[in-house]
Amino acid sequence: MKKFNIRKVLDGLTAVSSPSPSSQLGAKENELIPETLQSEHFQLCKTVRHGFPYQPSSMAFDPVQKILAIGTQNGALRLFGRPGVECYCQHESGAAVIQLQFLINEGALVSALSDDSIHLWNLRQKRPAVLHSLKFSKERITFCHLPFQSKWLYIGTERGNIHLVNVESFTLSGYTIMWNKAIELSSKAHPGPVVHISDNPMDEGKLIIGFESGIVVLWDLKSKRADYRYTYDEAIHSVAWHHEGKQFICSHSDGTLTIWNIKSPAKPAQTITPHGKQPKDGKKPEPCKPILKVEYKTTRAGDPFMIFSGGLSYDTVGRRPCLTVMHGKSTAVLEMDYSIVDFLTLCETPYPNDFQEPYAVVVLLEKDLVVIDLAQNGYPIFENPYPMMIHESPVTCCEYLADCPVDLIPALYSVGSRQKRQGYSKKEWPISGGNWGLGTQSYPEIIITGHADGSVKFWDASAIMLQVLYKLKTAKVFEKVRCKEEKPSTEIVDEDPFAIQLMSWCPESRMLCVAGVSAHVIIYRFSKQEITTEVVQLLEVRLQYELNDLESPEGGGDQTPGTSPSPQTTAPQTHTSTSSNSSDGIRDNIPCLKVRSSPLKQSSGYQVELVVQLVWVSGEPPQQISSLAINSCYGLVVFGNSNGLAVVDYLQKTVLLNLGIMELYGSNDPYQRQLRSPRKSRQPSGAKMSRKLSLPTELKPDLDNRDNSFSRSRSSSVTSIDKEAREAVTSFHFCETYNRKADGGLTSSLWVGTSLGTVLAISLSMPPGGEQRLLQPVIVSPCGTLVRLKGSILRMAFLDSTGSLLPSAFEPWYEPNAPANGEERDKVRKRRPVSVSPSTSQELNENQYAVVCSEKQAKVISLPSQTCVFKHNITETSFVLRADVVQMNAGICLACFCANGHIMTLSLPGLRPLLDVNYLPLTDMRIARTFCFTNLGQALYLTSPTEIQRITYSQEVCENLQETLGELFTPVETPEAPNRGFFKGLFGGGAQSLDREDLFGESGAGKAPRSLAQHIPGPGGIEGMKGAASGIVGDLARARIALDERGQKLSDVEERTAAMMASADSFSKHAHEMMLKCKDKKWYQF
């Protein structure tokens, strides 16, 4: 009778209940290898977002807290303090942020959105949340203004009306300024939307209202009527006060600035066209482009500053956007790289009625943030410490490494610090608010980004910060093309021929290998010393797909088959390659790009070791490279595409193997391929291939450009004639393993995965180390098929008999340009042995496990017997885009990201599902190309063309995140108000205050109509109120994250909201009583 195994029954039930059943084929191995990772070790949450806010639309600055806020067109809110203090929030509606207003030094921010809603954000918690929202239903919001130390927010609308909102309770006041009352009979037509509101710096009871049509009204809040009306026949874009409140300045659509005295409404005191040509006959200057914004800032010691954007003459065609700074008699025109979205002048005082003393201008551009130092001659810019130039050239691929060697970041920083630009302002970065988190995470992390212009950037990503370490320009290796006419006709892409497609990096040896879109591979070695390379070493590889050459007589040119099963030893070529254009114009043996022939000066950092280029074959362009790997221990680089693969010895500079995939199978090819040559379908030799690397600068629904295409054809980027026959190489793994069932010991090997789900092995016979390594050849021999899976192979890894991850062998880094003799160098270059525990190996008769993951399933294979011990179908309806075997604190697991947005982790070797979260539906090829997992529960992807989003799938990291995040709000005393002076106080001069509560409160103004706007309590209200009261913001926010992640809902929201409202009301009454007590006291009575 068969024994009944309760554990197997439970496993079976789990498998049946899960949507993707896991077949566990070996209970014995499962019992012998205990798995430490459990589902409670995993939790998914966003950690931090880096980069420039994508499509920015508005900006605000708190001059006391020194915090900058930027809103975007998709409803995102990014807050910046000192370098390393950043925060990302998102409005639920996703509507564009049209304006931001800080409650200065209060730890709160008001945002106005294009869907006519306003929101109050609480910044006193590490993850800001919305306390209140107000949604207008009958009018469209165009402008907001919140006076310093006031709780009444003015809201201007498209109809020309102004409403008031109490920012404490987020309720509307009954006090309204109607457009027809404001302009009365001064204009027959509607004045247009409200484009500006601000109170007189010296008299809070006087409000200036700017209407788009050109009318400005000075409104008396107490008497509820207009004191003066100022009319100009050009549309107004912005208005700014002189701090004494006697003058204001307007910017207009014809490029003019008008300065008005408040008591002379008949005509402007002065009209300036800063960039207009002044005619001699006294006529009006020529109109210029609109001045979109103007700021008027005064100084105690000298002339005021007038700063504005736009206003250039129409004949300056092609001129870049400019910011103009007028100071006294000097006018400085500062050119910007991108369009100006907004700018703010940073001043020493938050009080509008004092000398402003401007010291810097923050300019928000379409794709950059620039801060200009006003205090130094020539107005130099500050060096931006935020990682905002991720998108300097569009990102095409990413790699992420957590827990890398500790000496790596200092080494990259030391060579990168020499690349820094000069000429920046000597002063400290002025946005300096907030405090860093107190996280205990100590391991180093590096992010590498590959870009469309061929550059590669290394970033220090430790402790949720991001700082650029070093930039490598791979395009330097090639000849410069100065104009379109000079472009070689052999290029296979229309734009960005140097774009990086794949990167392979060995952090221990610091060897780097990149593959570009023009079918080129460059191998780099790291050196701290500068060298000049007289001739760049070049190998040209003829990697073609031919099964029956004799059947294509019209092929023309050189008919030599490029797929020879015997290892080839090709001498390194210089630039006089054997390229030929035969008489009928068919390109043959020509690479896509021309490697430079002049000496190449290579500064310290990454230096070119070897360039490998695929060449045109009888009129057929080379296929783009689909997989790449480097191994520093063996001194080999391997790359493959839909034609086959090539193994290159970068130490001896030779091609060891150049094989079509069919030759790898040998006689055991499982697919009945028709013998045909693709050359029959050859394009005319003058035609360019239309295969572009689809860059992440735009949404592209055509996702067939990579192997994991959406159409799920059995091949990648091939014409339909070869659908079944064309098989691409999709992944590689160097290892010390068993390639055959009868193997008694480990062999140096290369495992190859293909787009049809096959894993093949290649045996590597390595010569002895030292000098012999450079003299004797590496012998490479294919060993045939090992395993097959459904879908394209994405990732391979090896475990020892105890279930621990076996890293690939590597050699430690050494200085390649050191004048050391051979013996010293040999001491350093020792291969790291791969450890195998003999005792458990003998008991099991199995020494290793191979983990193989494809787009559809994962398998664990026992070696050398090659039996499948575990199998798991990851997805039936979708496909895996990225899979990585990662080390967690408690063990190792397989992490997968699917095209349907699911992030999953599977235990190893048992392949038990531990986490499955529907996180992010794939809406953009950018995400597919840049998503990567790394060790210790970290992952990232490009969430927009300019921003990196980091996430964690580790419970431990989620729990400690609150400590790691920085604090935006820090207790700072508000500066003292400017001294009014004895005589001004005695004779009624100086700033006039206003009891806004009496005027706008319910007792004075009544209630606003309910239909005008709807009040919505925010989700952050509970935490905000309690956090401010008891200082336990961190605990509450952590609890909230945990609740959100588990999908639970708070049942007592209504009761707590009511309590919060009552608390806010009580606070308001106490504050009002206090104000009434002190209202009538003179300054000398305090």
Side-chain angles (χ1 to χ4, degrees), residues 842-877:
Q842 285 160 8
E843 288 168 26
L844 273 172
N845 297 322
E846 298 289 355
N847 290 327
Q848 283 185 355
Y849 296 98
V851 180
V852 185
C853 182
S854 78
E855 293 174 322
K856 293 286 186 182
Q857 59 182 190
K859 283 185 180 179
V860 174
I861 315 296
S862 181
L863 298 175
S865 68
Q866 296 184 12
T867 53
C868 177
V869 288
F870 298 104
K871 177 179 147 189
H872 179 77
N873 291 328
I874 298 168
T875 175
E876 297 293 340
T877 54

mmCIF file of all heavy atoms in Angstrom, residues 842-877:
data_model
loop_
_atom_site.group_PDB
_atom_site.id
_atom_site.type_symbol
_atom_site.label_atom_id
_atom_site.label_comp_id
_atom_site.label_asym_id
_atom_site.label_seq_id
_atom_site.Cartn_x
_atom_site.Cartn_y
_atom_site.Cartn_z
ATOM 1 N N GLN A 842 27.936 14.077 -1.778
ATOM 2 C CA GLN A 842 28.013 12.617 -1.841
ATOM 3 C C GLN A 842 26.699 11.986 -1.396
ATOM 4 O O GLN A 842 26.248 11.006 -1.962
ATOM 5 C CB GLN A 842 29.172 12.137 -0.968
ATOM 6 C CG GLN A 842 30.527 12.409 -1.638
ATOM 7 C CD GLN A 842 31.669 12.417 -0.666
ATOM 8 O OE1 GLN A 842 31.503 12.078 0.499
ATOM 9 N NE2 GLN A 842 32.849 12.813 -1.134
ATOM 10 N N GLU A 843 26.085 12.568 -0.386
ATOM 11 C CA GLU A 843 24.806 12.012 0.084
ATOM 12 C C GLU A 843 23.747 12.084 -1.010
ATOM 13 O O GLU A 843 22.980 11.157 -1.214
ATOM 14 C CB GLU A 843 24.303 12.803 1.301
ATOM 15 C CG GLU A 843 25.108 12.540 2.570
ATOM 16 C CD GLU A 843 24.761 13.549 3.647
ATOM 17 O OE1 GLU A 843 23.639 14.073 3.613
ATOM 18 O OE2 GLU A 843 25.606 13.819 4.506
ATOM 19 N N LEU A 844 23.704 13.200 -1.688
ATOM 20 C CA LEU A 844 22.644 13.423 -2.679
ATOM 21 C C LEU A 844 22.986 12.854 -4.047
ATOM 22 O O LEU A 844 22.105 12.702 -4.879
ATOM 23 C CB LEU A 844 22.425 14.935 -2.846
ATOM 24 C CG LEU A 844 21.466 15.610 -1.892
ATOM 25 C CD1 LEU A 844 21.544 17.110 -2.097
ATOM 26 C CD2 LEU A 844 20.046 15.147 -2.119
ATOM 27 N N ASN A 845 24.271 12.593 -4.280
ATOM 28 C CA ASN A 845 24.762 12.278 -5.624
ATOM 29 C C ASN A 845 24.436 13.390 -6.604
ATOM 30 O O ASN A 845 24.326 13.164 -7.798
ATOM 31 C CB ASN A 845 24.177 10.943 -6.136
ATOM 32 C CG ASN A 845 24.625 9.797 -5.272
ATOM 33 O OD1 ASN A 845 25.778 9.790 -4.820
ATOM 34 N ND2 ASN A 845 23.737 8.851 -5.026
ATOM 35 N N GLU A 846 24.185 14.567 -6.093
ATOM 36 C CA GLU A 846 23.897 15.734 -6.938
ATOM 37 C C GLU A 846 24.751 16.874 -6.405
ATOM 38 O O GLU A 846 24.842 17.075 -5.213
ATOM 39 C CB GLU A 846 22.417 16.135 -6.838
ATOM 40 C CG GLU A 846 21.444 15.071 -7.304
ATOM 41 C CD GLU A 846 21.447 14.870 -8.806
ATOM 42 O OE1 GLU A 846 22.148 15.628 -9.501
ATOM 43 O OE2 GLU A 846 20.774 13.959 -9.274
ATOM 44 N N ASN A 847 25.342 17.595 -7.285
ATOM 45 C CA ASN A 847 26.238 18.643 -6.830
ATOM 46 C C ASN A 847 25.699 20.054 -6.999
ATOM 47 O O ASN A 847 26.127 20.945 -6.313
ATOM 48 C CB ASN A 847 27.588 18.529 -7.548
ATOM 49 C CG ASN A 847 28.351 17.310 -7.085
ATOM 50 O OD1 ASN A 847 28.241 16.923 -5.933
ATOM 51 N ND2 ASN A 847 29.081 16.694 -7.985
ATOM 52 N N GLN A 848 24.811 20.253 -7.965
ATOM 53 C CA GLN A 848 24.338 21.616 -8.251
ATOM 54 C C GLN A 848 22.882 21.608 -8.690
ATOM 55 O O GLN A 848 22.345 20.570 -9.089
ATOM 56 C CB GLN A 848 25.168 22.249 -9.384
ATOM 57 C CG GLN A 848 26.523 22.739 -8.961
ATOM 58 C CD GLN A 848 27.223 23.446 -10.105
ATOM 59 O OE1 GLN A 848 26.737 23.491 -11.228
ATOM 60 N NE2 GLN A 848 28.387 23.993 -9.828
ATOM 61 N N TYR A 849 22.294 22.798 -8.621
ATOM 62 C CA TYR A 849 20.968 23.025 -9.204
ATOM 63 C C TYR A 849 21.064 24.216 -10.155
ATOM 64 O O TYR A 849 21.654 25.239 -9.801
ATOM 65 C CB TYR A 849 19.932 23.349 -8.119
ATOM 66 C CG TYR A 849 19.706 22.213 -7.156
ATOM 67 C CD1 TYR A 849 20.352 22.206 -5.911
ATOM 68 C CD2 TYR A 849 18.882 21.145 -7.475
ATOM 69 C CE1 TYR A 849 20.172 21.163 -5.034
ATOM 70 C CE2 TYR A 849 18.701 20.096 -6.601
ATOM 71 C CZ TYR A 849 19.343 20.102 -5.378
ATOM 72 O OH TYR A 849 19.161 19.064 -4.519
ATOM 73 N N ALA A 850 20.499 24.059 -11.331
ATOM 74 C CA ALA A 850 20.436 25.172 -12.280
ATOM 75 C C ALA A 850 19.025 25.745 -12.239
ATOM 76 O O ALA A 850 18.045 25.001 -12.309
ATOM 77 C CB ALA A 850 20.759 24.688 -13.683
ATOM 78 N N VAL A 851 18.923 27.054 -12.104
ATOM 79 C CA VAL A 851 17.625 27.742 -12.127
ATOM 80 C C VAL A 851 17.493 28.396 -13.500
ATOM 81 O O VAL A 851 18.371 29.169 -13.909
ATOM 82 C CB VAL A 851 17.551 28.839 -11.027
ATOM 83 C CG1 VAL A 851 16.200 29.530 -11.064
ATOM 84 C CG2 VAL A 851 17.826 28.243 -9.661
ATOM 85 N N VAL A 852 16.424 28.061 -14.201
ATOM 86 C CA VAL A 852 16.201 28.641 -15.533
ATOM 87 C C VAL A 852 14.803 29.255 -15.550
ATOM 88 O O VAL A 852 13.822 28.605 -15.179
ATOM 89 C CB VAL A 852 16.313 27.571 -16.643
ATOM 90 C CG1 VAL A 852 16.191 28.220 -18.021
ATOM 91 C CG2 VAL A 852 17.625 26.814 -16.536
ATOM 92 N N CYS A 853 14.739 30.528 -15.965
ATOM 93 C CA CYS A 853 13.443 31.215 -16.017
ATOM 94 C C CYS A 853 13.202 31.724 -17.426
ATOM 95 O O CYS A 853 14.088 32.366 -18.020
ATOM 96 C CB CYS A 853 13.422 32.383 -15.028
ATOM 97 S SG CYS A 853 11.833 33.240 -14.986
ATOM 98 N N SER A 854 12.014 31.453 -17.946
ATOM 99 C CA SER A 854 11.633 31.948 -19.271
ATOM 100 C C SER A 854 10.490 32.943 -19.120
ATOM 101 O O SER A 854 10.077 33.283 -18.012
ATOM 102 C CB SER A 854 11.215 30.784 -20.165
ATOM 103 O OG SER A 854 9.898 30.366 -19.832
ATOM 104 N N GLU A 855 9.943 33.381 -20.259
ATOM 105 C CA GLU A 855 8.813 34.318 -20.235
ATOM 106 C C GLU A 855 7.558 33.692 -19.623
ATOM 107 O O GLU A 855 6.662 34.414 -19.213
ATOM 108 C CB GLU A 855 8.459 34.735 -21.662
ATOM 109 C CG GLU A 855 9.502 35.561 -22.333
ATOM 110 C CD GLU A 855 9.141 35.820 -23.786
ATOM 111 O OE1 GLU A 855 8.597 34.928 -24.444
ATOM 112 O OE2 GLU A 855 9.394 36.934 -24.244
ATOM 113 N N LYS A 856 7.503 32.364 -19.582
ATOM 114 C CA LYS A 856 6.272 31.693 -19.144
ATOM 115 C C LYS A 856 6.448 30.854 -17.885
ATOM 116 O O LYS A 856 5.513 30.707 -17.108
ATOM 117 C CB LYS A 856 5.764 30.768 -20.270
ATOM 118 C CG LYS A 856 5.294 31.510 -21.514
ATOM 119 C CD LYS A 856 3.964 32.170 -21.249
ATOM 120 C CE LYS A 856 3.379 32.809 -22.483
ATOM 121 N NZ LYS A 856 2.105 33.477 -22.197
ATOM 122 N N GLN A 857 7.620 30.269 -17.692
ATOM 123 C CA GLN A 857 7.767 29.334 -16.567
ATOM 124 C C GLN A 857 9.185 29.342 -16.020
ATOM 125 O O GLN A 857 10.093 29.935 -16.614
ATOM 126 C CB GLN A 857 7.353 27.921 -16.995
ATOM 127 C CG GLN A 857 8.138 27.377 -18.145
ATOM 128 C CD GLN A 857 7.674 25.991 -18.595
ATOM 129 O OE1 GLN A 857 8.321 25.362 -19.390
ATOM 130 N NE2 GLN A 857 6.561 25.514 -18.093
ATOM 131 N N ALA A 858 9.343 28.695 -14.877
ATOM 132 C CA ALA A 858 10.664 28.537 -14.259
ATOM 133 C C ALA A 858 10.874 27.064 -13.959
ATOM 134 O O ALA A 858 9.923 26.348 -13.615
ATOM 135 C CB ALA A 858 10.740 29.354 -12.978
ATOM 136 N N LYS A 859 12.119 26.608 -14.105
ATOM 137 C CA LYS A 859 12.466 25.225 -13.774
ATOM 138 C C LYS A 859 13.742 25.215 -12.955
ATOM 139 O O LYS A 859 14.622 26.061 -13.143
ATOM 140 C CB LYS A 859 12.691 24.397 -15.048
ATOM 141 C CG LYS A 859 11.410 23.984 -15.769
ATOM 142 C CD LYS A 859 11.733 23.070 -16.947
ATOM 143 C CE LYS A 859 10.442 22.643 -17.677
ATOM 144 N NZ LYS A 859 10.733 21.779 -18.830
ATOM 145 N N VAL A 860 13.832 24.229 -12.067
ATOM 146 C CA VAL A 860 15.076 23.975 -11.337
ATOM 147 C C VAL A 860 15.546 22.596 -11.749
ATOM 148 O O VAL A 860 14.809 21.605 -11.616
ATOM 149 C CB VAL A 860 14.864 24.068 -9.808
ATOM 150 C CG1 VAL A 860 16.130 23.657 -9.074
ATOM 151 C CG2 VAL A 860 14.474 25.490 -9.423
ATOM 152 N N ILE A 861 16.758 22.519 -12.293
ATOM 153 C CA ILE A 861 17.318 21.289 -12.842
ATOM 154 C C ILE A 861 18.422 20.801 -11.913
ATOM 155 O O ILE A 861 19.293 21.583 -11.513
ATOM 156 C CB ILE A 861 17.918 21.533 -14.249
ATOM 157 C CG1 ILE A 861 16.981 22.363 -15.122
ATOM 158 C CG2 ILE A 861 18.313 20.228 -14.926
ATOM 159 C CD1 ILE A 861 15.675 21.711 -15.436
ATOM 160 N N SER A 862 18.400 19.517 -11.603
ATOM 161 C CA SER A 862 19.441 18.919 -10.778
ATOM 162 C C SER A 862 20.593 18.491 -11.687
ATOM 163 O O SER A 862 20.358 17.901 -12.745
ATOM 164 C CB SER A 862 18.854 17.713 -10.049
ATOM 165 O OG SER A 862 19.834 17.135 -9.241
ATOM 166 N N LEU A 863 21.824 18.818 -11.306
ATOM 167 C CA LEU A 863 23.002 18.489 -12.125
ATOM 168 C C LEU A 863 23.942 17.589 -11.336
ATOM 169 O O LEU A 863 24.046 17.733 -10.113
ATOM 170 C CB LEU A 863 23.723 19.773 -12.528
ATOM 171 C CG LEU A 863 22.930 20.758 -13.390
ATOM 172 C CD1 LEU A 863 23.721 22.043 -13.600
ATOM 173 C CD2 LEU A 863 22.568 20.154 -14.733
ATOM 174 N N PRO A 864 24.640 16.654 -11.990
ATOM 175 C CA PRO A 864 24.711 16.471 -13.443
ATOM 176 C C PRO A 864 23.604 15.608 -14.042
ATOM 177 O O PRO A 864 23.610 15.385 -15.250
ATOM 178 C CB PRO A 864 26.066 15.796 -13.604
ATOM 179 C CG PRO A 864 26.274 15.013 -12.349
ATOM 180 C CD PRO A 864 25.608 15.792 -11.274
ATOM 181 N N SER A 865 22.655 15.107 -13.261
ATOM 182 C CA SER A 865 21.664 14.170 -13.825
ATOM 183 C C SER A 865 20.714 14.838 -14.814
ATOM 184 O O SER A 865 20.048 14.164 -15.583
ATOM 185 C CB SER A 865 20.847 13.544 -12.686
ATOM 186 O OG SER A 865 20.029 14.541 -12.094
ATOM 187 N N GLN A 866 20.626 16.172 -14.786
ATOM 188 C CA GLN A 866 19.780 16.959 -15.689
ATOM 189 C C GLN A 866 18.286 16.619 -15.538
ATOM 190 O O GLN A 866 17.515 16.715 -16.482
ATOM 191 C CB GLN A 866 20.211 16.786 -17.151
ATOM 192 C CG GLN A 866 21.599 17.319 -17.405
ATOM 193 C CD GLN A 866 22.012 17.250 -18.858
ATOM 194 O OE1 GLN A 866 21.184 16.995 -19.725
ATOM 195 N NE2 GLN A 866 23.291 17.469 -19.126
ATOM 196 N N THR A 867 17.900 16.223 -14.312
ATOM 197 C CA THR A 867 16.467 15.971 -14.073
ATOM 198 C C THR A 867 15.820 17.245 -13.533
ATOM 199 O O THR A 867 16.424 17.970 -12.743
ATOM 200 C CB THR A 867 16.272 14.834 -13.046
ATOM 201 O OG1 THR A 867 17.039 15.152 -11.878
ATOM 202 C CG2 THR A 867 16.735 13.503 -13.600
ATOM 203 N N CYS A 868 14.580 17.462 -13.959
ATOM 204 C CA CYS A 868 13.855 18.653 -13.502
ATOM 205 C C CYS A 868 13.240 18.339 -12.144
ATOM 206 O O CYS A 868 12.382 17.449 -12.036
ATOM 207 C CB CYS A 868 12.773 19.012 -14.521
ATOM 208 S SG CYS A 868 11.770 20.395 -14.004
ATOM 209 N N VAL A 869 13.677 19.034 -11.101
ATOM 210 C CA VAL A 869 13.178 18.740 -9.753
ATOM 211 C C VAL A 869 12.032 19.658 -9.341
ATOM 212 O O VAL A 869 11.188 19.282 -8.535
ATOM 213 C CB VAL A 869 14.308 18.801 -8.698
ATOM 214 C CG1 VAL A 869 15.232 17.607 -8.850
ATOM 215 C CG2 VAL A 869 15.088 20.091 -8.770
ATOM 216 N N PHE A 870 12.001 20.874 -9.875
ATOM 217 C CA PHE A 870 10.892 21.784 -9.577
ATOM 218 C C PHE A 870 10.516 22.525 -10.852
ATOM 219 O O PHE A 870 11.390 22.860 -11.662
ATOM 220 C CB PHE A 870 11.271 22.812 -8.498
ATOM 221 C CG PHE A 870 11.609 22.196 -7.175
ATOM 222 C CD1 PHE A 870 12.925 22.098 -6.754
ATOM 223 C CD2 PHE A 870 10.601 21.697 -6.354
ATOM 224 C CE1 PHE A 870 13.239 21.519 -5.549
ATOM 225 C CE2 PHE A 870 10.916 21.130 -5.136
ATOM 226 C CZ PHE A 870 12.229 21.029 -4.729
ATOM 227 N N LYS A 871 9.237 22.803 -10.987
ATOM 228 C CA LYS A 871 8.762 23.538 -12.166
ATOM 229 C C LYS A 871 7.585 24.398 -11.728
ATOM 230 O O LYS A 871 6.761 23.971 -10.906
ATOM 231 C CB LYS A 871 8.331 22.535 -13.233
ATOM 232 C CG LYS A 871 7.750 23.163 -14.485
ATOM 233 C CD LYS A 871 7.389 22.056 -15.465
ATOM 234 C CE LYS A 871 6.178 22.435 -16.268
ATOM 235 N NZ LYS A 871 5.677 21.330 -17.065
ATOM 236 N N HIS A 872 7.512 25.617 -12.251
ATOM 237 C CA HIS A 872 6.406 26.507 -11.897
ATOM 238 C C HIS A 872 5.993 27.299 -13.132
ATOM 239 O O HIS A 872 6.824 27.944 -13.765
ATOM 240 C CB HIS A 872 6.827 27.479 -10.787
ATOM 241 C CG HIS A 872 5.751 28.440 -10.379
ATOM 242 N ND1 HIS A 872 4.700 28.070 -9.571
ATOM 243 C CD2 HIS A 872 5.542 29.743 -10.686
ATOM 244 C CE1 HIS A 872 3.905 29.116 -9.392
ATOM 245 N NE2 HIS A 872 4.391 30.148 -10.073
ATOM 246 N N ASN A 873 4.703 27.232 -13.476
ATOM 247 C CA ASN A 873 4.189 28.045 -14.573
ATOM 248 C C ASN A 873 3.865 29.425 -14.027
ATOM 249 O O ASN A 873 2.910 29.596 -13.273
ATOM 250 C CB ASN A 873 2.941 27.403 -15.176
ATOM 251 C CG ASN A 873 3.284 26.121 -15.908
ATOM 252 O OD1 ASN A 873 4.368 26.014 -16.468
ATOM 253 N ND2 ASN A 873 2.397 25.151 -15.884
ATOM 254 N N ILE A 874 4.670 30.403 -14.406
ATOM 255 C CA ILE A 874 4.552 31.746 -13.816
ATOM 256 C C ILE A 874 3.286 32.439 -14.310
ATOM 257 O O ILE A 874 2.544 33.034 -13.549
ATOM 258 C CB ILE A 874 5.804 32.591 -14.147
ATOM 259 C CG1 ILE A 874 7.046 31.927 -13.548
ATOM 260 C CG2 ILE A 874 5.663 34.006 -13.605
ATOM 261 C CD1 ILE A 874 8.363 32.506 -14.037
ATOM 262 N N THR A 875 3.033 32.370 -15.607
ATOM 263 C CA THR A 875 1.859 33.051 -16.158
ATOM 264 C C THR A 875 1.381 32.324 -17.401
ATOM 265 O O THR A 875 2.188 31.825 -18.187
ATOM 266 C CB THR A 875 2.179 34.530 -16.475
ATOM 267 O OG1 THR A 875 1.055 35.120 -17.111
ATOM 268 C CG2 THR A 875 3.384 34.688 -17.382
ATOM 269 N N GLU A 876 0.069 32.275 -17.555
ATOM 270 C CA GLU A 876 -0.519 31.656 -18.747
ATOM 271 C C GLU A 876 -0.900 32.719 -19.775
ATOM 272 O O GLU A 876 -0.712 32.545 -20.966
ATOM 273 C CB GLU A 876 -1.772 30.841 -18.364
ATOM 274 C CG GLU A 876 -1.498 29.665 -17.431
ATOM 275 C CD GLU A 876 -0.678 28.555 -18.076
ATOM 276 O OE1 GLU A 876 -0.632 28.491 -19.328
ATOM 277 O OE2 GLU A 876 -0.059 27.768 -17.327
ATOM 278 N N THR A 877 -1.480 33.812 -19.283
ATOM 279 C CA THR A 877 -2.074 34.809 -20.191
ATOM 280 C C THR A 877 -1.122 35.940 -20.539
ATOM 281 O O THR A 877 -1.327 36.634 -21.521
ATOM 282 C CB THR A 877 -3.330 35.421 -19.544
ATOM 283 O OG1 THR A 877 -2.958 35.930 -18.255
ATOM 284 C CG2 THR A 877 -4.409 34.388 -19.389
#
